[in-house]
Amino acid sequence: ELKVEQNPLFLSMQEGKNYTIYCNYSTTSDRLYWYRQDPGKSLESLFVLLSNGAVKQEGRLMASLDTKARLSTLHITAAVHDLSATYFCAVGDNNAGNMLTFGGGTRLMVKP
Amino acid sequence: GAGVSQSPSNKVTEKGKDVELRCDPISGHTALYWYRQSLGQGLEFLIYFQGNSAPDKSGLPSDRFSAERTGGSVSTLTIQRTQQEDSAVYLCATRGQPQEKLFFGSGTQLSVL
């Protein structure tokens, strides 16, 4: 059974600072997704990572994938308040068709 | 439609009643997922439909939960004899090609009193 762990679960940071959210998973996968969820809202897709070494960047967020280490990172550069949200990674299970398993989420609060 | 549509957006029901939640996928999307999210928690997988294949029901928490997808399009999630612990947001997501991202609906907030 695929297990996906994110850390930290909660992150409070000051504007302008950098930080990294980690997503570890337990079995082979070549598909990893990052989503953002604002309070009371649904999930919005941020990044799709489909190969080892893949790196995607959008604004102050950059995601990378290391399939050998079974690790993805979401790096935040010079955080701003608008980035406050909960971030989820989701991993495709190579042994279970195309099912996606989500991590528990990282709640990010960026303080002015 | 332009996006994944779920209805109702909110449902309040009494314990013991049956409820039916609906998901209209993006046209042409062959994969459809149901997830459940309790307040402040992550996403709990419930069931997955892919084309005409048998659905993956491994996430359904009890036999009170069932889902169907008619004609490869609209899906309904049915919860029989609802319990208070069923209260959550039920999210539907669909996808086209296998490696594409999931598109999520806005969810149905279910409250069981």
Side-chain angles (χ1 to χ4, degrees), chain A residues 100-112:
Chain A
L100 289 187
T101 300
F102 280 76
T106 296
R107 185 180 170 200
L108 172 65
M109 289 184 59
V110 181
K111 300 179 180 179

Side-chain angles (χ1 to χ4, degrees), chain A residues 61-79:
Chain A
L61 300 178
M62 183 173 71
S64 65
L65 176 62
D66 182 341
T67 59
K68 295 180 181 178
R70 298 177 184 170
L71 170 69
S72 179
T73 60
L74 180 66
H75 187 72
I76 304 156
T77 301

Side-chain angles (χ1 to χ4, degrees), chain A residues 33 35 37 42 45 98 100, chain B residues 33 35 37 95 101-102 105:
Chain A
Y33 308 81
Y35 287 87
Q37 186 178 38
S42 191
S45 176
N98 292 303
L100 289 187
Chain B
Y33 301 75
Y35 289 90
Q37 187 176 32
R95 169 178 53 72
K101 63 186 179 184
L102 291 183

